[in-house]
Amino acid sequence: MMGDQIGSSKLIVLLAIVTLLSFCSPASSFAFLPRVSRTDDAVIIDFDGVGYAPSYQGKTLYGQIVDPRFVPLPSFNPYPMTYRHQEQTPNGWIYSYGYPTPLALEDVLPVRQTAATQCGIGPVMPASRALTSERIAGGISARKNAWPFIVALKKSDDSLFCSGTLISDTRVLLAAQCLEKMSLLELSGVTVLVGMFLTDQSDVQMTRRISKLFLHRQYNAATYANDIAIIVMDAPVVLSRSVATACLPVASTDPDQFVDQDAIILGWGGGTENDGDVVPFPNLQQAKVSIWSNGDCKGDETAGRYVTENTTCITSATGDKFTCTPADVGGPVVILPSPGSWTVVGINSYTKDCATSGLKTRVSAYRAWINLYMTMA
């Protein structure tokens, strides 16, 4: 009898071990990791269909139509009870755990796509102003909803760490350095904040997660070469009067394509506290700058050593307008070549210690790359 009990106990223990191993085996755990592949010019990280990015198609897990502005968090995010902690109101769903209350419906009504509204919605070119040495630095507060194509990125701890530019209803253009050093787990926790104006995130109009990520394969963290990436969001954003895409420039091999043109830099910048740390402003900042020639930029003591034919530089006549904090990295430099067509010509890349000149990835040099990964499923 005792022998039978010992044998049964051993069998139970053995079954428990086998079951545990089956859950922990590489084959089973791999199903919850994104697929990573490479092409000649990109590293592709694909979360879709591997336990992270659900097939959205306008429905929840329960098949119910939901407010398209807020996509439910994936099942293994830090707040796994989000599906249960929500309340339906006449204006949509209210999500707990930091997801903001949706705006009034009239603020996010979809707009009919016409030639005038497909890309580049924004204000008239802001006038030059005498500014103090504040940070976007050196900028002024933007008007709410004036720049509908800039987005912010946050980590799972709610900290803002980069900006980006909406270039389609599913894709965000930004710097590779924003995401290149993050682990796959950290990437799974990144949220794209669309329509944000305030850094307290209380007015975010839509939230999305990463479904797929294209990082330029030749990105060099030491030289900032090929500092470009594209995020594919897990559901299309709703285009409206306050959420729209920026236009893209025509392809060009001329590094001085836009030299001496006025441009606008955007970001949440920052002021300087007593301890010397640069902190974000409470709301989006804008500053008027000029596109600098690559020849002149090569002589700059900070950015000059990183200048290539695929970069561009900006400068400020007053010397006090520049991108500064990590939240500004990846954000846009835009010009207005014609009314109603704000065009992203640069991606904020390198600005050492809030220097007054800044190295930007030149978007027109990467149009073929962008076109390829704008359409790749």
Side-chain angles (χ1 to χ4, degrees):
M1 180 71 69
M2 182 64 70
D4 291 341
Q5 291 178 344
I6 294 174
S8 298
S9 299
K10 289 182 177 178
L11 179 60
I12 292 172
V13 171
L14 179 60
L15 288 173
I17 293 173
V18 170
T19 302
L20 180 62
L21 289 175
S22 68
F23 279 109
C24 298
S25 67
S28 62
S29 60
F30 179 79
F32 296 95
L33 294 177
R35 295 183 294 271
V36 180
S37 58
R38 289 170 174 79
T39 65
D40 290 342
D41 58 6
V43 176
I44 304 172
I45 303 173
D46 187 359
F47 289 93
D48 191 22
V50 291
Y52 163 67
S55 178
Y56 180 65
Q57 299 178 352
K59 298 183 178 181
T60 65
L61 292 180
Y62 307 104
Q64 300 170 328
I65 303 297
V66 297
D67 187 329
R69 290 167 288 172
F70 295 90
V71 175
L73 294 174
S75 59
F76 66 89
N77 70 84
Y79 312 116
M81 299 299 288
T82 299
Y83 284 115
R84 300 182 187 181
H85 292 272
Q86 53 184 311
E87 177 184 356
Q88 191 172 21
T89 71
N91 289 330
W93 291 90
I94 297 176
Y95 290 88
S96 58
Y97 300 110
Y99 270 58
T101 302
L103 300 178
L105 185 60
E106 59 269 18
D107 292 331
V108 292
L109 286 175
V111 295
R112 183 169 59 89
Q113 289 294 289
T114 66
T117 59
Q118 284 183 355
C119 70
I121 297 175
V124 297
M125 175 64 82
S128 297
R129 294 178 52 172
L131 300 169
T132 64
S133 58
E134 295 174 331
R135 304 287 194 271
I136 134 153
I140 59 175
S141 291
R143 183 171 57 85
K144 186 176 175 64
N145 298 328
W147 305 102
F149 44 75
I150 187 169
V151 303
L153 272 63
K154 75 170 182 178
K155 298 179 181 178
S156 57
D157 63 1
D158 282 343
S159 62
L160 302 178
F161 70 99
C162 263
S163 302
T165 306
L166 198 65
I167 55 174
S168 82
D169 63 351
T170 60
R171 281 163 168 78
V172 172
L173 184 70
L174 72 166
Q177 65 177 285
C178 291
L179 304 167
E180 182 263 345
K181 292 183 179 179
M182 299 182 75
S183 69
L184 296 178
L185 180 60
E186 288 174 321
L187 286 173
S188 72
V190 171
T191 305
V192 181
L193 307 177
V194 183
M196 188 182 87
F197 179 68
L198 302 173
T199 51
D200 66 8
Q201 306 170 33
S202 61
D203 65 341
V204 174
Q205 297 184 32
M206 282 171 268
T207 57
R208 296 293 185 264
R209 305 301 284 267
I210 298 176
S211 173
K212 186 175 292 186
L213 174 63
F214 301 105
L215 294 165
H216 201 290
R217 189 169 180 176
Q218 279 74 52
Y219 167 64
N220 188 322
T223 64
Y224 301 92
N226 304 302
D227 192 7
I228 186 170
I230 291 175
I231 285 174
V232 181
M233 296 176 288
D234 60 354
V237 298
V238 182
L239 298 179
S240 68
R241 291 183 292 271
S242 54
V243 174
T245 60
C247 298
L248 291 168
V250 297
S252 176
T253 58
D254 179 9
D256 293 330
Q257 179 184 12
F258 302 110
V259 68
D260 294 332
Q261 291 195 32
D262 288 335
I264 299 296
I265 52 175
L266 299 166
W268 283 270
T272 304
E273 292 189 329
N274 294 332
D275 58 5
D277 291 337
V278 178
V279 296
F281 263 112
N283 58 267
L284 182 65
Q285 303 287 294
Q286 64 185 41
K288 191 173 181 179
V289 295
S290 180
I291 305 293
W292 209 7
S293 74
N294 265 20
D296 289 337
C297 191
K298 285 180 180 178
D300 184 77
E301 61 181 3
T302 56
R305 55 182 167 168
Y306 303 125
V307 173
T308 70
E309 292 185 351
N310 295 334
T311 62
T312 190
C313 293
I314 59 99
T315 188
S316 165
T318 56
D320 60 2
K321 306 172 190 176
F322 42 89
T323 51
C324 198
T325 66
D328 289 336
V329 174
V333 179
V334 292
I335 64 170
L336 187 62
S338 60
S341 59
W342 283 99
T343 301
V344 55
V345 297
I347 301 170
N348 291 333
S349 179
Y350 172 78
T351 302
K352 182 179 180 181
D353 299 328
C354 300
T356 56
S357 62
L359 185 77
K360 317 297 178 182
T361 303
R362 187 169 64 85
V363 176
S364 59
Y366 293 92
R367 273 308 305 270
W369 189 89
I370 293 171
N371 290 348
L372 176 61
Y373 297 109
M374 277 280 284
T375 57
M376 180 175 288

